[in-house]
Amino acid sequence: MSRFSDALEEVMEEVGSQPWTRIEALAEHVARTIVDKQKAFRAEVHIRTDLPVQKWTPVSGRPTQEIYGLLAHAVATEERSRSMIGVEVEGMVACPCAQDMVHSYAKVRLQEEGFPDPIIDRMLDVTPLATHNQRGRATLMIGTDRALDARDLIDLAESAMSSENYGLLKRPDELYIVNKAHANPRFVEDVAREMLRAVVEKYPDLPDDSFVWVRERNEETIHKYDVEAEGWGTLGELRAEILQNESLERHTTKEEWLGLITH
C-alpha cells in the first residue's frame, strides 16, 4: 500500500509541473503511469473539478460567472488505455404531464365562463401554463481520442433541458426563463434522449467507435423522490437508432467500452 502511495505522489508531482490542456489526457496519463510503475493489471482514474464560464443573463445582459463540473474518466492496462471527458450541468425542467392537466382544467373553466372554443384555444396557445418544475442535473460524457471543447458539451447538456438557469437573475431574466421553460416542457427521459440526439448532430465527424454516456437527474418538487434517466452507446449505435431509425437489441456499455468488462 505504501508503494502505491509513493507511486501516486510521484505521478502527481510529475503532472503538476507541466500544463495540461485536456483533463481526459491527464487522467489517461496518470492511469498509464500507475500501471507501468506498479506493474498493475489495470488502473482506473476519475477526475472532477470546477469549470467557471463567463456568461450574460438573457435579458438584462448582466455578466455572471457560472460554475460547471468538468469530469474525466480513464482506464489503462498494459495493452491499451481509453478516456472520457464530461461535464455536469444544472438547469430547469418543466413537467409536461401536469401542464397538460392544467391545460384541460383551464379549458373547462373558460368554457364554463362562456368563452367560445376558438377564443379559448387561442388564449391557451399564447399563455404560459402552470406546471411543477424540477432542478435538473445533467451529466454528459464522451469517449474519443479527439480533443473536444468542454464548453460545447455544456451547451449540449443545457439545451436538452427546458431552460438553462443562472446564479444571477434580474426580474426580466426571471420572466424569460420561466416562460422559456414552460414553453418547452420535458420529462426526465426526454432530456436524456435530447442529449444523445444533440451529440449525434454536433459531432458527425467523430468515428463510430466513439462512446457517449448521459444521465439526467431531476430533483422533484411535488414528489418525495427524485427521478433519473440514463442513455449510452457508441456513436455508431446511436447514429443507427437516431438517424436511420433502426432498433438495436443492446448498446455497448460504458464499462465495456472502457475495458472494465471483457467478454
Side-chain angles (χ1 to χ4, degrees):
M1 185 66 186
S2 60
R3 289 195 299 271
F4 173 76
S5 178
D6 291 341
L8 184 58
E9 289 181 8
E10 182 180 338
V11 172
M12 298 314 296
E13 287 180 5
E14 172 196 335
V15 301
S17 64
Q18 55 184 303
W20 292 86
T21 58
R22 296 173 57 193
I23 189 174
E24 71 278 18
L26 171 59
E28 190 170 354
H29 173 77
V30 172
R32 288 199 308 264
T33 304
I34 290 297
V35 167
D36 179 62
K37 289 182 176 295
Q38 292 293 102
K39 307 302 179 185
F41 171 72
R42 183 177 68 219
E44 183 175 358
V45 174
H46 297 263
I47 299 177
R48 188 196 187 284
T49 188
D50 290 336
L51 175 63
V53 178
Q54 180 70 46
K55 293 199 167 186
W56 288 263
T57 53
V59 178
S60 64
R62 300 293 183 93
T64 173
Q65 188 178 76
E66 303 301 320
I67 306 298
Y68 301 92
L70 180 61
L71 314 174
H73 186 185
V75 173
T77 64
E78 290 185 352
E79 291 77 27
R80 70 166 194 171
S81 61
R82 271 186 163 172
S83 64
M84 304 177 69
I85 181 175
V87 294
E88 289 180 345
V89 173
E90 285 189 9
M92 179 177 175
V93 184
C95 176
C97 183
Q99 190 177 68
D100 185 62
M101 291 187 289
V102 170
H103 183 281
S104 298
Y105 174 78
K107 185 168 186 175
V108 171
R109 287 291 295 115
L110 290 168
Q111 288 171 338
E112 291 173 348
E113 292 295 324
F115 290 95
D117 283 349
I119 298 299
I120 292 174
D121 291 338
R122 179 62 177 163
M123 291 168 65
L124 295 178
D125 282 343
V126 301
T127 304
L129 294 175
T131 187
H132 72 96
N133 309 128
Q134 303 95 21
R135 172 174 290 181
R137 299 185 184 273
T139 305
L140 166 60
M141 301 197 73
I142 299 180
T144 177
D145 291 333
R146 301 190 187 179
L148 301 180
D149 191 331
R151 291 168 295 186
D152 291 335
L153 304 188
I154 290 171
D155 290 341
L156 296 180
E158 273 189 332
S159 299
M161 289 183 263
S162 297
S163 175
E164 73 279 15
N165 61 8
Y166 297 85
L168 169 69
L169 288 174
K170 306 301 286 184
R171 286 190 176 184
D173 303 308
E174 292 180 1
L175 174 62
Y176 173 87
I177 294 231
V178 170
N179 281 338
K180 179 179 180 179
H182 287 76
N184 187 33
R186 284 180 174 167
F187 292 111
V188 64
E189 61 269 28
D190 294 332
V191 178
R193 282 192 288 257
E194 182 61 23
M195 281 192 282
L196 294 174
R197 183 201 62 79
V199 170
V200 168
E201 292 188 356
K202 175 70 176 178
Y203 300 109
D205 298 330
L206 286 183
D208 280 346
D209 64 351
S210 303
F211 187 79
V212 185
W213 179 83
V214 303
R215 179 177 64 201
E216 170 71 7
R217 180 180 180 87
N218 284 355
E219 296 181 351
E220 285 284 347
T221 53
I222 66 170
H223 301 294
K224 295 292 188 182
Y225 51 81
D226 296 336
V227 291
E228 287 190 5
E230 293 185 8
W232 60 82
T234 66
L235 264 179
E237 294 164 348
L238 296 174
R239 285 167 177 152
E241 283 195 330
I242 295 171
L243 302 180
Q244 302 167 22
N245 201 30
E246 295 183 12
S247 179
L248 304 182
E249 290 186 2
R250 70 181 303 275
H251 289 179
T252 302
T253 67
K254 180 170 60 173
E255 291 75 17
E256 290 170 339
W257 188 85
L258 286 168
L260 293 170
I261 296 178
T262 57
H263 296 289

